[in-house]
Amino acid sequence: MPARSLSPELSLPPTALIRNFCIVAHIDHGKSTLADRLLERGAAVSRRDMREQMLDSMDLERERGITIKAQAVRLHHRAPGGAEYTLNLIDTPGHVDFTYEVSRSLAASEGAVLLVDAVQGVEAQTLANAFLAVEGGLEVVPVVNKIDLPAADADRVAVEIAAVLGVSPGEVLRVSSKSGAGVDELLAAIVERIPPPRGEDSDPLRALVFDSYYDTYRGVVCYLRVRDGRISTGDRLRFLATGESPAADEVGVLTPRAVPVATLGPGEVGYLITGVKEIDRIRVGDTVTRADRPATVSLPGYREPKPMVFSGLYPSDGDQFERLREALEKLRLNDASLSYEPETSRALGFGFRCGFLGLLHMEIVRERLEREYDLDLVATAPSVAYRVVLPDGREQEVRSPQDLPEVRREILEPYVRALVITPSTYTGTVMELLREHRGELSSMQYLTPERVELVYRVPLAEIVFGFFDRLKSSTRGYASLDYEHDGYRAADLARVDILLNAVPVDAFSAIVHREAAYSYGRRLVDRLRGLIPRQLFDVPIQAAVGSRVIARETVKARRKDVLAKCYGGDVTRKRKLLEKQKEGKKRMKMVGQVEVPQEAFIAVLRVDAD
Amino acid sequence: MPTEGAATRPDDPSLADAAASLFGAYLHVPFCRRVCPYCDFAVVAGREDQAERYVAAVTAEIERAEPFPSAPAAVFVGGGTPTRLSPVALARLLRVLERRRGLAPEVEVSLEANPEDWSPAVAASLVAGGFNRVSLGAQSFDSGVLAVLGRRHHPREAEKAVFSAHDAGFASVNVDLICGTPGESPASWRASVERALAAGIDHLSVYALTVEAGTPLSRAVAVGAPAPDPDRQAERWEEAAYLAAAAGLIRYETSNFARPGHACRYNLITWAQGEYEGFGTGAHRHRGGTRSWNVRRLDRYLEAVEAGGKVVSGAETLGPWEQEAERLVLGLRRAAGVRAGAGGGRLEQSEAGRRLSAAGVLERVGDRLRVARPLLGDEVSRAVLALEPADC
């Protein structure tokens, strides 16, 4: 690597001049646009150095093929008094499934900009994340965004935010991230209100890995927040949770381009490349220290991610199993919350039982696997993790309907504390919907006369099976949802099996509340009847709980499947037609003697299909 | 044309297999009064002004064709509507063909005809010209169904055509019926089959109405017209098979029934993977392991022949495995089935083959395989084509 002269401006600012913050916002409330505005104002390098710096960085990229995702960006801000501040903007994901990732971003920050759309108002998930920030001891800077929209009601929204945070409406800033109005005031507030990081330069190094990603050329790239001490290129490191002890090949900051620096000190945010290539060896949330002078106490902020939703992922083409394994390994590098273990299905062959934080997470993973790794997947019905109490009193976790023991004392199912914020006109609708999903009201509070906050205890499985979509559609998209894990409770659950020609199709089994067993069984049987092509014999489709059949349909045997015409000697055409039909056959999976089209698995298991 | 001897059953395996070494000739006549809504053959309506030119072109094509391997044992003039040409023109084409290498003794000479173009005089002229088998496109004996099919003849005309064909001396008379036409009732279908059989036909072809892409019928179905129901067609076919058997007509191919001695030899050649030459628009041929076909458009065909150029628009030569698969696919259409051979053995061993055997669709009789449930024949064909290629 050629020697580089490092810009003095990019090295070791005193902690008093550092502010680390994240932006907490609901999807579409303008977080990215605001980030762009902040980037423009606070270009990380001075104008004088800009050109040289950018070119240098581009060379770096070209040389090594690095593209760093802008997960944490360093900004410069010159305060009116002339002081030069370093602002680190740390990205947060914006969905209910990713509370865990949000908590990591928060753990790397001292403050959070709470961004609320001046039209939409406060949403459940924004609020949940704001609470997380408050609980984490972060300074919250409330901001109403999109104040220049015709339908904006900044005053009302400011009152709403103030009520939630217990501040005065006057403390709520007003911004248009589109036009840039109010952005300077926001920068001033970030500097004034958010405390500088505290950390001891002389203490042993402790830095939090708050994100990571895999680069083909450089291996694992970690995003770090230094708490105490210093990390320098060449240091021998130790990761407290994993015990790995690689050397720091390169440390640097993102401007947003990757710029190597000699050292990162207390309060700083940057990246670390260690040469570790194996994706399992570095865990997001781990604490990095120095091997020669190790810290002993890990930083808070790391929680073992707990998958809540499970689904089997199978390659449509059995030959793709190894590719699926490799793809999952790669995805897991950036996504510590993804878990998977090999699983075998009679219907689908070899695949993986995967654990996700939630349904959205599941869909994102599946989409990435299909798109980025060019896989064609079949996903089984999502399930939550149940606890089954065995006759001897032992407890067993059940992540797949197949694993449900026949003999058991009881089944405990996971519950969540669900927070729903809705316009008050939809209160009745929302309460009815939650009741249908076995929810129990814990509390109800009017944020303003127009907006209600409802807190329910609901089985997680109910949320998993399409609740969010139903909530959105029954409130015209106005209600918002957030939830957190809230223990287990005994429930009257049953496993519904689907049998094709008397052969159970494991991929379609589901553990459902006994009262919902019939409707689940009926729905699947009806859908399958429309999806399974006629065979050489009658195919009964049954839904059963244990040995009791609760719903039944029959796909009648095919009677005619032959082209009568001879086409006057045109043998070629007939053969081509058959060849084409044969291709369709290839996409069939055999379940016992029954041919089931690949699409049937997907269509039947689609949660929202009805 | 009692070429097989009056006692030969049409489903006799030796008859089926012997056709493999016979040579056939096909002549296409594209002209029609009008184009039926379900038809997707190479046909033209209202172009009879080109008839003379067309006969000249086909004559030239026959004269230029590769030498025949043997004298044709079967000639088939199809269309279109061959009877849009005069009996004299048709006879002249037959003579042109004969000049190449003669015709086999007891050659079968078939033509297709529409009842509306038929008359005792036409029938007598055709017999005089050398034709001995006619296939009448009756399609139905229900005037409502005929209207849906776009056929303009009266049911009684079809009946009279059968009589006059026999009277004129045709040795074999076939009637084509189409089942599953929208508007057809179980009773009207039954009546059609019974009336055809009662007219004394020697051969019956039962075709299920098929919606072919690009036809007026497919456009009508696309915008909501009723499509043929395959279950109803299965019932119709089963009833026809029952009635035909009762009248002494034996099923020898998926759609074809005949009295002993009246199997269509030209079609037997096709199903036995035999060789045949084809002349005229869209005609297909099978020579020396290559299948090829002519241009379909009348104008392009005429221009090409007149310019002394190529009329072949496409060709394919199958490898040894593809040929073996094709032998099975074609041969399994016959009630006589096919000698199992290498490919048949592999079919039986395959997972799909075992399922088909278990379901009673595929059947082993000695060294032969046959499809016991002919209405599911395409399922067997797909299983054959799905076999991994192997050395043969």
Side-chain angles (χ1 to χ4, degrees):
Chain A
M1 188 191 306
R4 287 172 193 285
S5 62
L6 302 166
S7 163
E9 281 161 284
L10 290 170
S11 57
L12 284 192
T15 54
L17 293 179
I18 299 176
R19 298 292 183 274
N20 295 321
F21 70 102
C22 51
I23 303 173
V24 171
H26 193 76
I27 297 162
D28 296 336
H29 281 204
K31 187 173 75 173
S32 311
T33 321
L34 178 61
D36 287 348
R37 286 296 92 75
L38 293 174
L39 264 173
E40 279 171 19
R41 302 283 158 111
V45 286
S46 61
R47 195 165 292 279
R48 178 173 49 84
D49 291 337
M50 174 91 90
R51 195 182 133 77
E52 191 187 344
Q53 195 64 58
M54 297 307 268
L55 283 175
D56 191 30
S57 171
M58 275 154 63
D59 285 343
L60 185 79
E61 276 206 313
R62 231 177 272 135
E63 213 169 275
R64 300 175 186 161
I66 297 186
T67 17
I68 306 281
K69 63 173 181 175
Q71 196 66 22
V73 180
R74 172 178 282 212
L75 312 169
H76 272 220
H77 174 66
R78 190 186 298 273
E84 283 274 0
Y85 287 89
T86 296
L87 310 184
N88 291 306
L89 167 55
I90 294 157
D91 196 23
T92 58
H95 188 272
V96 51
D97 282 356
F98 301 110
T99 307
Y100 166 70
E101 291 193 16
V102 172
S103 72
R104 285 181 345 221
S105 302
L106 296 179
S109 313
E110 278 79 35
V113 171
L114 173 65
L115 193 66
V116 179
D117 184 308
V119 180
Q120 306 289 326
V122 173
E123 310 261 7
Q125 165 219 321
T126 328
L127 212 50
N129 288 342
F131 286 150
L132 274 179
V134 171
E135 282 167 22
L138 270 62
E139 181 65 33
V140 175
V141 179
V143 177
V144 179
N145 189 22
K146 307 194 190 177
I147 53 170
D148 51 349
L149 285 184
D153 191 350
D155 291 340
R156 176 184 63 82
V157 173
V159 168
E160 220 174 75
I161 301 173
V164 169
L165 294 179
V167 298
S168 92
E171 291 176 56
V172 180
L173 299 172
R174 286 145 198 246
V175 161
S176 165
S177 49
K178 202 169 166 203
S179 74
V183 171
D184 290 331
E185 290 79 356
L186 172 59
L187 281 166
I190 288 169
V191 167
E192 284 161 24
R193 297 194 203 171
I194 297 178
R198 281 171 316 204
E200 285 304 324
D201 196 12
S202 54
D203 279 1
L205 169 68
R206 287 201 300 169
L208 175 73
V209 180
F210 64 88
D211 204 348
S212 74
Y213 92 108
Y214 182 81
D215 179 272
T216 322
Y217 299 98
R218 306 302 307 272
V220 180
V221 180
C222 303
Y223 293 96
L224 289 181
R225 156 67 201 265
V226 181
R227 189 70 58 172
D228 301 312
R230 294 178 174 210
I231 181 170
S232 302
T233 302
D235 283 349
R236 175 62 59 181
L237 304 174
R238 179 177 300 163
F239 287 80
L240 287 180
T242 61
E244 290 288 333
S245 53
D249 284 357
E250 181 177 317
V251 292
V253 296
L254 300 153
T255 66
R257 300 203 178 275
V259 180
V261 297
T263 299
L264 290 172
E268 285 203 278
V269 172
Y271 69 90
L272 162 70
I273 296 171
T274 60
V276 168
K277 304 274 186 200
E278 295 75 13
I279 55 188
D280 278 340
R281 283 170 55 194
I282 287 178
R283 279 204 218 153
V284 170
D286 205 347
T287 299
V288 183
T289 187
R290 270 170 54 174
D292 58 350
R293 193 180 161 227
T296 47
V297 182
S298 297
L299 292 168
Y302 179 66
R303 280 197 326 214
E304 192 73 45
K306 183 147 179 58
M308 303 288 274
V309 176
F310 298 85
S311 165
L313 290 183
Y314 292 83
S316 299
D317 177 353
D319 294 346
Q320 292 191 330
F321 176 76
E322 276 307 318
R323 267 177 66 197
L324 174 58
R325 181 203 294 282
E326 283 162 25
L328 283 167
E329 275 171 13
K330 285 195 177 140
L331 274 192
R332 207 183 122 74
L333 173 72
N334 298 328
D335 188 351
S337 51
L338 172 66
S339 68
Y340 58 92
E341 54 191 39
E343 179 183 72
T344 315
S345 157
R346 249 175 312 179
L348 302 174
F350 294 103
F352 292 94
R353 190 81 190 158
C354 300
F356 308 96
L357 297 170
L359 271 191
L360 179 83
H361 186 211
M362 180 177 97
E363 274 164 34
I364 288 173
V365 168
R366 202 172 114 188
E367 203 176 299
R368 288 190 63 187
L369 287 170
E370 295 200 321
R371 219 178 266 171
E372 295 171 25
Y373 297 92
D374 196 26
L375 291 159
D376 193 12
L377 298 175
V378 175
T380 64
S383 171
V384 299
Y386 295 94
R387 283 191 192 157
V388 176
V389 183
L390 300 169
D392 62 6
R394 275 188 306 125
E395 266 189 29
Q396 180 186 329
E397 189 174 72
V398 172
R399 294 175 166 192
S400 161
Q402 297 322 302
D403 301 336
L404 188 68
E406 292 295 328
V407 185
R408 56 193 183 244
R409 199 181 287 170
E410 62 179 348
I411 307 177
L412 306 173
E413 78 170 319
Y415 267 69
V416 295
R417 181 178 172 277
L419 173 70
V420 176
I421 293 181
T422 176
S424 41
T425 44
Y426 292 111
T427 309
T429 314
V430 171
M431 291 177 88
E432 177 65 18
L433 187 64
L434 277 153
R435 200 187 54 74
E436 280 175 33
H437 284 269
R438 297 192 283 141
E440 290 165 20
L441 183 65
S442 304
S443 72
M444 176 169 162
Q445 188 196 335
Y446 279 85
L447 299 175
T448 63
E450 295 82 29
R451 283 166 81 77
V452 180
E453 176 200 278
L454 297 162
V455 179
Y456 270 79
R457 279 203 91 190
V458 196
L460 173 63
E462 295 288 339
I463 301 279
V464 164
F465 290 117
F467 173 79
F468 188 64
D469 291 333
R470 287 189 70 193
L471 177 71
K472 280 287 175 196
S473 63
S474 60
T475 62
R476 297 175 170 215
Y478 283 119
S480 56
L481 167 75
D482 192 71
Y483 61 83
E484 60 186 23
H485 202 50
D486 193 22
Y488 283 78
R489 272 208 234 175
D492 189 12
L493 300 169
R495 188 178 78 203
V496 180
D497 293 320
I498 304 295
L499 295 86
L500 277 188
N501 200 30
V503 176
V505 187
D506 47 15
F508 293 153
S509 291
I511 296 173
V512 298
H513 195 249
R514 202 169 289 275
E515 279 173 19
Y518 177 76
S519 64
Y520 177 83
R522 173 47 61 190
R523 195 169 74 234
L524 256 69
V525 163
D526 285 348
R527 275 191 208 163
L528 278 168
R529 202 180 82 91
L531 290 165
I532 291 183
R534 296 169 68 180
Q535 318 270 321
L536 298 172
F537 42 85
D538 283 1
V539 177
I541 306 168
Q542 296 162 302
V545 173
S547 58
R548 192 165 56 90
V549 172
I550 56 175
R552 182 194 165 104
E553 289 288 339
T554 302
V555 176
K556 300 294 282 178
R558 201 167 356 145
R559 296 187 58 183
K560 172 181 166 287
D561 180 8
V562 70
L563 277 178
K565 272 201 195 148
C566 190
Y567 298 115
D570 186 352
V571 170
T572 305
R573 172 175 165 169
K574 164 92 177 163
R575 203 191 63 243
K576 283 183 177 161
L577 192 68
L578 289 165
E579 292 274 5
K580 213 165 116 191
Q581 294 170 346
K582 184 195 79 186
E583 289 310 306
K585 284 258 177 195
K586 273 195 186 159
R587 293 194 296 273
M588 301 274 190
K589 289 245 182 213
M590 293 301 298
V591 174
Q593 295 291 306
V594 182
E595 290 177 330
V596 183
Q598 203 63 257
E599 304 84 68
F601 287 98
I602 296 159
V604 165
L605 296 172
R606 245 176 49 215
V607 184
D608 54 347
D610 246 316
Chain B
M1 49 122 245
T3 51
E4 318 302 341
T8 313
R9 280 174 59 102
D11 59 354
D12 188 312
S14 59
L15 178 70
D17 293 349
S21 53
L22 300 178
F23 183 65
Y26 178 82
L27 270 65
H28 190 76
V29 179
F31 306 110
C32 281
R33 270 184 205 267
R34 65 194 79 81
V35 179
C36 299
Y38 52 89
C39 177
D40 75 332
F41 288 110
V43 296
V44 287
R47 297 292 306 277
E48 280 82 349
D49 58 318
Q50 300 294 313
E52 216 169 302
R53 220 180 135 196
Y54 185 76
V55 170
V58 172
T59 300
E61 197 194 354
I62 294 170
E63 285 169 347
R64 287 181 214 155
E66 294 288 308
F68 295 176
S70 58
V75 178
F76 195 101
V77 183
T81 313
T83 44
R84 297 306 292 162
L85 295 182
S86 69
V88 172
L90 291 168
R92 201 181 296 143
L93 284 175
L94 202 53
R95 294 292 86 69
V96 174
L97 192 66
E98 193 174 6
R99 276 204 300 274
R100 287 302 308 264
R101 195 161 174 172
L103 296 171
E106 302 195 318
V107 62
E108 169 193 280
V109 186
S110 294
L111 88 159
E112 293 179 327
N114 261 356
E116 61 182 318
D117 296 318
W118 198 250
S119 68
V122 166
S125 316
L126 288 167
V127 169
F131 289 88
N132 54 27
R133 183 178 184 276
V134 64
S135 177
L136 291 162
Q139 320 305 6
S140 172
F141 286 84
D142 179 315
S143 48
V145 170
L146 287 172
V148 173
L149 290 174
R151 309 292 287 200
R152 300 287 172 86
H153 67 264
H154 190 275
R156 200 166 43 232
E157 284 182 271
E159 203 167 41
K160 282 163 73 180
V162 175
F163 298 146
S164 58
H166 273 139
D167 290 347
F170 275 93
S172 248
V173 178
N174 170 61
V175 155
D176 281 352
L177 292 178
I178 289 179
C179 71
T181 307
E184 169 197 274
S185 69
S188 78
W189 172 251
R190 187 184 177 91
S192 284
V193 177
E194 283 175 338
R195 208 159 155 191
L197 292 168
I201 56 174
D202 309 288
H203 190 286
L204 174 67
S205 296
V206 176
Y207 297 121
L209 182 64
T210 307
V211 181
E212 300 287 357
T215 58
L217 177 63
S218 87
R219 288 190 286 276
V221 167
V223 297
D229 176 345
D231 284 4
R232 297 293 84 72
Q233 291 182 320
E235 285 163 13
R236 304 287 190 264
W237 182 91
E238 281 161 8
E239 177 152 42
Y242 173 81
L243 294 170
L249 276 68
I250 298 161
R251 188 186 69 81
Y252 70 106
E253 192 263 353
T254 307
S255 307
N256 288 285
F257 306 81
R259 293 183 201 286
H262 291 272
C264 174
R265 191 191 288 157
Y266 176 79
N267 281 341
L268 285 174
I269 292 172
T270 308
W271 300 320
Q273 220 178 9
E275 296 204 356
Y276 47 92
E277 226 349 310
F279 306 100
T281 54
H284 282 246
R285 67 186 62 75
H286 180 214
R287 299 288 309 272
T290 296
R291 295 192 178 279
S292 64
W293 46 92
N294 286 355
V295 293
R296 275 170 70 101
R297 289 267 309 278
L298 177 62
D299 294 332
R300 284 188 52 202
Y301 173 82
L302 293 173
E303 284 158 19
V305 177
E306 286 162 7
K310 264 178 46 171
V311 291
V312 172
S313 82
E316 64 169 0
T317 302
L318 301 182
W321 169 250
E322 285 76 17
Q323 280 191 37
E324 171 67 358
E326 188 192 80
R327 181 183 73 84
L328 294 170
V329 167
L330 289 171
L332 284 167
R333 290 185 67 91
R334 304 174 303 198
V338 67
R339 267 201 293 270
R346 292 189 46 217
L347 173 64
E348 285 180 296
Q349 298 303 312
S350 71
E351 196 188 310
R354 280 200 290 268
R355 271 189 300 126
L356 288 160
S357 300
V361 178
L362 187 65
E363 193 177 73
R364 178 84 177 195
V365 183
D367 67 342
R368 301 183 79 81
L369 281 179
R370 56 192 295 274
V371 174
R373 293 168 66 187
L375 289 185
L376 297 174
D378 281 1
E379 182 79 20
V380 181
S381 302
R382 285 189 292 269
V384 170
L385 296 174
L387 293 171
E388 289 296 317
D391 299 332
C392 281

